[in-house]
Amino acid sequence: MKKEINFTLNGNPVKIEVMPNEKLLDVLRDRLGVKSPKHGCGRGECGACSVLLNGKSIRSCITLAIEVDGQEITTLEGLEKNGMTELQKSFLQHNSFQCGFCAPGMTITATELLNKNPHPDEEEVREAIAGNLCRCTGYQNIIDAILDVSKKE
Amino acid sequence: MERELKYVGKRAVRIDGLEKITGAAKYTDDLDFGPSMLYVAVLESPYAHAIIKNIDTTEAEKMPGVRAVLSGKDFPEKFGLYLKDNSIFPADRVRYIGQQVAAVVAETPAQAEAAVKKIKVDYEPLPVLQNPLDAIKPDAPLIHPDLGKYEVVPWLYPQPGTNIAHVRKIRKGDVDKAFKEAEYVLEDWYHVPHVVHAPIETHISVALYSYDGRLTLWNSTQSPHTQRNIIAHSLKIPHKNVRVIASYVGGGFGGKAGISMEVIAAVAAMKVPGHPVKLRWTRKQEFQNSSQRQELYAHIKMGVNKEGKIIALKHELFWDVGASAEYGSNVVNATGFSATGPYYIPNVYIDSFAIYTNRPPCGAYRGFGYSEFHFGLESHIDRMAKIIGMDPVEFRRKNAIQRGQPVAYGVEMNPTGILECIDKVAEKIEWGKENKSPDPTKVRAKGFAAVWKAPAMPPNESSAAFLKFSEDGSINLLVSGMELGQGFLTAMAKIAAEELSLPLEKIRVELPDTDRNPYEWQTVASHVTWSCGNAVRRAAIDARNQILDTVSRAYHIDKANLYLEDGKVKCYTDPEFELPFEKFVIDGIEMPDGTYRGGPIMGHGMFMPEFTSAKVNPETGLGGHPNVHYTTGAGAVEIEIDKETGRIRVLKMAEAFDAGKAINPDLVEGQIVGGFVQGLGTALWEEVKFDENGRILNPNFTDYKIPTALDVPRDMNPIIVEVAQPDGPFGARGIAEHTMIPVMPAVANAVENALGIRIKDVPITPEKILNALREKGQENGN
Ligand code: FES
Ligand code: FES
């Protein structure tokens, strides 16, 4: 019942056999060793597992691996291929995260936002990251860091 | 003369920041264990209370991929932190829905799950108790008939033959007399339901048992050494053979303190030597089988004299600790000692009961019970202020406890910046200034609360630190406090940096590994900055002394004339003298005759608060010194309520805490904001709901809502106050949990100020607001 799929992962071609019910998150983490997307709920509710599918953020815990056949997947590992992004540098300077568990998912979502809308206002930032739960920070330092990037250039 | 501080108190990028932001930080589930890994699945009790008549695992054992099946037959041991009332697997009865009854170890998670379904258990259902006020009744069915037989620390008092796991009493002065003398007396009930920690990372444990009897665990934990101790003790394995390795923790909040599901992984591993086994909770299991926050029914009677002084407080706390009080009994204990709040009150009567029910075990939760009792107390304070016609902020100022005044159990209050906290919050929130909503259907108002909290710890808690230099003059600092996000690693690095005058880049602080890092009791109670900080400071001073000794011996310079600066040894009397650490901290100093002086510099330090004692009179709570000190603070909110929908939005918050000395000011501010928002969740939305059988109805983030980026105030104002703690490192004391405590009462007080209705039961939902408005309307005859 296994099916071979081909997709681009962080710019590199991947060929792998998957079961039809295998979740993308599990394939990325357990079979391909890409550990930045995290398992927080497994139900699409927390955003910790967010990755980019052709540039659009999705929840990899509720996405079947077979669905990404022929598509392009980007995780944090891909975003920082050429060094930390401006957004990551800003997160660092703002001490944006505490436990850090939500950071990869949050970074994916914020990256998507800044790609679509390079100069969002505060409410647009809040709106964009509202699906990424963070239990530690109260979000303020995350939002400030994103807004800082949006003010640059 | 005060030395000018170079690192402590200065803003800095947190030292774990880079790892976390790049995704390089490893959490337990990110570790690779290779193809020999096996997976554990757990059979959960479908009953909240039942006798286990028989467990039949024969069919499960025959399922594909199954390597072992475990139940209470194999591991009947009890475990627990303070009261050993918890079972690895219950042999005779289940006490809550979701409790682990048996487990399967198999080659894949799916095989383990499939086999679990084949285990057959015969249950005989028993009456289910879900309300502590019912469970405390003399004729209530017993949840722990063997309560008298459990091992327990000497300062907890289980009451065999009842459902009371512990009662802490305070009797100071004469409350009955004082109530008679009081000008004003107010009495009422308050209720706080169960909530969950909801860390984004669920509990996870990987365990490996080898044939030589060594058990290694990789846990997401706040308590590596305490877990080692409990496992070694319960399973009768020598401590030296148990090793707990902690990766980064994806949120703890008390839920990963002590031990829970890790014991299942440990015993599962013992059945399959040589194979690592993994157990990871699903989000649902995280709700029903890690630990929750206690539910509280509080009864408060307060007496105030003509001058506006609180002269009497009777505070009865009925805590639902769930099916096990192994940890929660100490929440009940700690709050029993402190339920006066941050006020000086001459006559005090407190009863704090730990009551078993058939709900999931409850334990440590950020605030350790203080959030729950402050909800009632600080609501009551506001109401009392209204009755006596005094401004509630003024009323708090007037009664706030000051340094040297006795707390309820008689010990003198430590130095405190409570008045400064109150004043700064009042100023920031513009207390007294009205702010009208532009929208006529909405009302705005402010609410205030003052709080305190002491670390709740056994009197012999301790911390240790070990610091070793390397050839290049850099150090590895080994401690076993846990980085939970609060900034522990950065704080410890700064303390060492300050004492050794060594730049932060030269210091690496390691996460705990019980084989390598020295002892730490646990990362709980907001006490590691203080306790472990003291140990680190001593280790650094020890290393500094070794450095100065070596240099003094080699160069014949009086030690008193030597000092450290920027990673070098310098001399007051000889400005030319300069010896960088890397020249000698490992290899020593060469003498003219070719011999060497010195050798590897290794500092060690430990700390135990030797002045504390839990030996008190059980009937009065007096005579001991149960707490090390209190951190005080205040918080206020400005809210806007939609009168038509009952919806509340918090527009602005200000919170101030007396950190003694903020080692990491920006991270302290981060704690205040984060703690406030966690508190906001409990004030407005969060509540674990149960059906009549004791089943949780909302074990997920859709039905149990935690705050998102849209839900939080746009204007958040964290304020740091610094009145030094004399025995803290550079004057520091903890603040991390405290930040959550003012929120529930501050919001409730704001609601009353807005609409004239008093909500005595959180969360304050739109439904409760609308119902209260309707009732008020009926009372007023319209
Ligand atoms: S793990 Fe995918 S949304 Fe929570
Ligand atoms: S930093 Fe802990 S969940 Fe966001």
Side-chain angles (χ1 to χ4, degrees):
Chain A
M1 269 205 316
K2 283 203 171 173
K3 183 178 181 304
E4 184 185 291
I5 57 168
N6 292 278
F7 65 102
T8 309
L9 174 59
N10 296 327
N12 300 318
V14 170
K15 176 193 287 205
I16 189 168
E17 282 197 349
V18 298
M19 297 290 286
N21 61 354
E22 254 183 291
K23 300 291 188 309
L24 177 62
L25 177 64
D26 298 332
V27 170
L28 290 174
R29 288 181 54 86
D30 301 339
R31 301 191 52 203
L32 296 169
V34 174
K35 304 281 191 179
S36 75
K38 303 291 184 236
H39 180 279
C41 67
R43 292 172 41 116
E45 296 169 337
C46 75
C49 64
S50 301
V51 301
L52 295 175
L53 170 72
N54 305 330
K56 216 178 142 325
S57 71
I58 57 158
R59 312 263 148 137
S60 64
C61 72
I62 48 168
T63 305
L64 294 174
I66 45 169
E67 290 177 57
V68 306
D69 191 14
Q71 317 288 314
E72 212 171 285
I73 294 292
T74 310
T75 67
L76 198 53
E77 287 83 349
L79 293 183
E80 62 198 17
K81 251 187 163 173
N82 304 313
M84 274 209 284
T85 64
E86 287 307 310
L87 176 64
Q88 286 176 302
K89 288 182 198 158
S90 186
F91 280 147
L92 188 65
Q93 288 311 318
H94 280 86
N95 287 319
S96 289
F97 297 99
Q98 292 181 17
C99 82
F101 201 73
C102 68
M106 201 67 89
T107 308
I108 289 291
T109 305
T111 301
E112 178 193 24
L113 167 72
L114 291 171
N115 285 346
K116 270 200 315 224
N117 174 6
H119 305 290
D121 64 22
E122 182 176 336
E123 288 309 306
E124 288 170 323
V125 171
R126 287 181 186 275
E127 201 66 63
I129 65 167
N132 287 74
L133 297 179
C134 172
R135 190 56 153 172
C136 301
T137 64
Y139 304 100
Q140 192 62 52
N141 290 348
I142 297 171
I143 293 162
D144 289 347
I146 301 171
L147 286 174
D148 247 22
V149 178
S150 81
K151 280 179 208 132
K152 282 184 190 149
E153 289 131 42
Chain B
M1 193 190 74
E2 281 229 347
R3 215 163 15 121
E4 208 194 307
L5 298 175
K6 263 191 172 163
Y7 304 101
V8 165
K10 301 287 184 278
R11 297 195 179 254
V13 167
R14 53 188 304 149
I15 64 176
D16 53 345
L18 198 55
E19 263 186 290
K20 287 176 173 173
I21 276 148
T22 55
K26 288 267 182 276
Y27 301 83
T28 301
D29 202 25
D30 299 337
L31 305 174
D32 276 314
F33 293 89
S36 68
M37 170 93 92
L38 301 174
Y39 298 85
V40 186
V42 165
L43 177 70
E44 298 169 349
S45 169
Y47 292 102
H49 200 188
I51 298 287
I52 299 175
K53 292 171 70 182
N54 187 43
I55 301 183
D56 179 0
T57 56
T58 32
E59 247 186 84
E61 278 155 29
K62 290 185 215 139
M63 292 288 288
V66 170
R67 298 295 188 90
V69 182
L70 309 80
S71 72
K73 281 187 244 166
D74 318 83
F75 293 100
E77 289 88 352
K78 293 272 176 194
F79 73 96
L81 187 60
Y82 298 113
L83 167 65
K84 297 203 188 320
D85 67 358
N86 211 349
S87 312
I88 300 174
F89 298 105
D92 53 347
R93 73 164 74 195
V94 290
R95 295 181 170 88
Y96 60 98
I97 290 181
Q99 181 172 17
Q100 69 275 6
V101 176
V104 171
V105 186
E107 284 157 26
T108 68
Q111 287 172 334
E113 288 297 340
V116 151
K117 296 202 177 85
K118 300 287 178 185
I119 301 173
K120 293 198 194 91
V121 186
D122 281 346
Y123 295 100
E124 181 186 313
L126 294 170
V128 173
L129 288 168
Q130 290 206 69
N131 185 322
L133 299 177
D134 292 336
I136 199 174
K137 288 187 183 144
D139 57 345
L142 295 184
I143 295 171
H144 284 271
D146 289 337
L147 183 56
K149 296 185 194 147
Y150 300 151
E151 217 183 297
V152 62
V153 294
W155 39 274
L156 294 178
Y157 322 122
Q159 319 270 302
T162 75
N163 287 318
I164 301 171
H166 174 56
V167 53
R168 169 56 62 203
K169 298 179 186 173
I170 295 282
R171 302 287 183 270
K172 180 193 167 199
D174 184 343
V175 279
D176 292 329
K177 190 163 151 262
F179 283 130
K180 283 195 199 107
E181 288 164 12
E183 190 75 14
Y184 312 95
V185 174
L186 175 68
E187 197 175 342
D188 214 336
W189 284 88
Y190 300 89
H191 175 243
V192 180
H194 292 287
V195 298
V196 292
H197 308 79
I200 306 301
E201 177 202 41
T202 57
H203 277 66
I204 177 164
S205 177
V206 179
L208 172 64
Y209 187 70
S210 55
Y211 285 100
D212 63 354
R214 148 142 296 215
L215 176 65
T216 307
L217 292 117
W218 291 262
N219 292 344
S220 176
T221 178
Q222 302 176 227
S223 311
H225 280 87
T226 289
Q227 292 194 331
R228 182 181 71 152
N229 187 35
I230 291 174
I231 287 171
H233 185 86
S234 298
L235 301 177
K236 304 190 176 50
I237 308 172
H239 280 66
K240 69 176 174 63
N241 285 355
V242 182
R243 179 182 187 188
V244 178
I245 300 172
S247 304
Y248 280 116
V249 166
F253 314 112
K256 290 170 183 164
I259 193 163
S260 59
M261 53 85 88
E262 299 81 8
V263 292
I264 305 173
V267 295
M270 290 171 75
K271 284 276 196 173
V272 287
H275 289 274
V277 303
K278 185 190 272 194
L279 179 62
R280 182 181 77 186
W281 269 174
T282 62
R283 180 54 58 185
K284 184 174 173 199
Q285 285 169 317
E286 187 73 18
F287 270 82
Q288 65 183 19
N289 198 2
S290 52
S291 68
Q292 306 194 340
R293 193 169 83 175
Q294 288 76 15
E295 178 178 33
L296 172 64
Y297 291 87
H299 182 245
I300 300 179
K301 184 174 176 186
M302 186 182 279
V304 172
N305 70 11
K306 266 207 213 68
E307 288 75 47
K309 288 272 191 189
I310 307 171
I311 56 169
L313 175 72
K314 187 170 184 183
H315 202 165
E316 292 160 290
L317 302 159
F318 300 92
W319 299 94
D320 173 2
V321 297
S324 162
E326 56 105 359
Y327 202 149
S329 47
N330 194 32
V331 174
V332 172
N333 191 57
T335 50
F337 280 119
S338 302
T340 55
Y343 304 105
Y344 169 67
I345 306 174
N347 301 288
V348 180
Y349 178 116
I350 297 169
D351 273 348
S352 185
F353 293 99
I355 305 164
Y356 287 123
T357 66
N358 294 114
R359 286 183 167 180
C362 299
Y365 187 114
R366 188 180 203 167
F368 215 66
Y370 284 70
S371 294
E372 297 92 298
F373 85 70
H374 274 89
F375 170 61
L377 185 68
E378 284 298 297
S379 297
H380 216 74
I381 290 273
D382 245 52
R383 297 170 69 191
M384 198 47 132
K386 285 217 166 71
I387 291 172
I388 68 174
M390 193 183 282
D391 178 83
V393 172
E394 190 46 39
F395 185 50
R396 287 183 173 88
R397 287 191 102 263
K398 197 169 180 115
N399 287 284
I401 193 162
Q402 292 304 303
R403 175 183 197 165
Q405 284 183 320
V407 304
Y409 46 87
V411 170
E412 281 182 12
M413 178 63 182
N414 52 279
T416 171
I418 184 156
L419 293 181
E420 198 182 331
C421 290
I422 291 175
D423 290 345
K424 289 205 158 141
V425 167
E427 190 191 329
K428 197 75 203 174
I429 205 79
E430 300 180 289
W431 188 253
K433 191 175 149 205
E434 259 196 64
N435 186 0
K436 273 212 160 40
S437 173
D439 180 342
T441 63
K442 292 180 176 145
V443 215
R444 288 184 182 178
K446 295 165 190 175
F448 203 94
V451 304
W452 74 349
K453 182 184 175 296
M457 316 183 285
N460 57 343
E461 76 84 22
S462 64
S463 302
F466 183 44
L467 177 166
K468 20 177 219 174
F469 270 95
S470 293
E471 290 83 343
D472 63 350
S474 66
I475 60 175
N476 289 83
L477 176 56
L478 304 180
V479 284
S480 292
M482 193 58 213
E483 176 59 64
L484 304 171
Q486 81 282 47
F488 169 75
L489 299 178
T490 310
M492 295 306 112
K494 282 188 175 176
I495 289 170
E498 198 65 61
E499 286 298 352
L500 291 166
S501 194
L502 190 65
L504 274 181
E505 313 80 74
K506 290 230 153 186
I507 302 176
R508 187 177 172 84
V509 193
E510 305 292 346
L511 290 174
D513 168 345
T514 56
D515 264 17
R516 182 189 62 197
N517 299 25
Y519 183 81
E520 167 64 51
W521 169 58
Q522 310 189 73
T523 300
V524 299
S526 300
H527 89 302
V528 286
T529 299
W530 176 76
S531 178
C532 195
N534 275 327
V536 167
R537 192 171 190 194
R538 289 178 182 179
I541 291 171
D542 183 28
R544 187 174 66 201
N545 279 331
Q546 294 172 29
I547 289 172
L548 297 182
D549 271 339
T550 303
V551 175
S552 164
R553 278 198 300 131
Y555 289 94
H556 307 291
I557 304 174
D558 190 353
K559 241 175 98 173
N561 288 330
L562 293 170
Y563 66 99
L564 307 185
E565 193 174 86
D566 293 334
K568 300 182 186 83
V569 183
K570 293 189 176 179
C571 180
Y572 292 115
T573 48
D574 177 3
E576 303 284 281
F577 184 87
E578 195 177 281
L579 190 64
F581 290 176
E582 60 266 28
K583 291 271 194 242
F584 68 96
V585 284
I586 293 292
D587 293 335
I589 300 167
E590 189 180 13
M591 304 300 288
D593 66 355
T595 61
Y596 282 79
R597 299 292 174 272
I601 304 286
M602 302 175 285
H604 77 277
M606 59 90 175
F607 178 77
M608 180 184 274
E610 291 186 344
F611 56 93
T612 54
S613 164
K615 279 216 168 105
V616 301
N617 179 335
E619 293 307 315
T620 63
L622 308 179
H625 197 313
N627 284 326
V628 291
H629 57 252
Y630 286 87
T631 297
T632 53
V637 293
E638 180 176 9
I639 64 167
E640 183 175 85
I641 310 184
D642 185 322
K643 284 185 283 184
E644 282 161 13
T645 63
R647 221 188 121 210
I648 299 176
R649 265 174 48 115
V650 178
L651 304 174
K652 177 177 179 179
M653 78 82 159
E655 274 194 0
F657 289 90
D658 177 8
K661 175 79 198 171
I663 310 274
N664 296 313
D666 30 5
L667 304 193
V668 168
E669 287 167 5
Q671 284 302 303
I672 296 177
V673 169
F676 173 87
V677 169
Q678 197 171 2
L680 188 65
T682 62
L684 295 182
W685 306 290
E686 294 183 38
E687 174 177 10
V688 180
K689 301 223 190 237
F690 295 86
D691 72 9
E692 69 278 10
N693 302 316
R695 183 177 300 279
I696 298 177
L697 294 167
N698 54 348
N700 57 65
F701 288 138
T702 303
D703 302 312
Y704 182 100
K705 188 172 149 40
I706 68 171
T708 73
L710 286 170
D711 300 320
V712 305
R714 303 303 189 256
D715 187 1
M716 298 206 264
N717 301 278
I719 301 162
I720 297 171
V721 167
E722 294 182 325
V723 175
Q725 178 61 32
D727 60 4
F730 300 95
R733 58 171 95 73
I735 59 99
E737 292 170 76
H738 309 68
T739 55
M740 198 171 160
I741 304 174
V743 190
M744 294 191 297
V747 172
N749 292 340
V751 168
E752 172 154 30
N753 292 338
L755 300 173
I757 54 175
R758 171 54 60 178
I759 310 287
K760 294 177 278 191
D761 175 27
V762 278
I764 305 176
T765 57
E767 198 186 347
K768 286 181 194 167
I769 297 270
L770 294 179
N771 283 341
L773 280 176
R774 207 168 303 129
E775 269 170 41
K776 187 182 156 210
Q778 281 160 2
E779 268 168 37
N780 295 348
N782 38 10

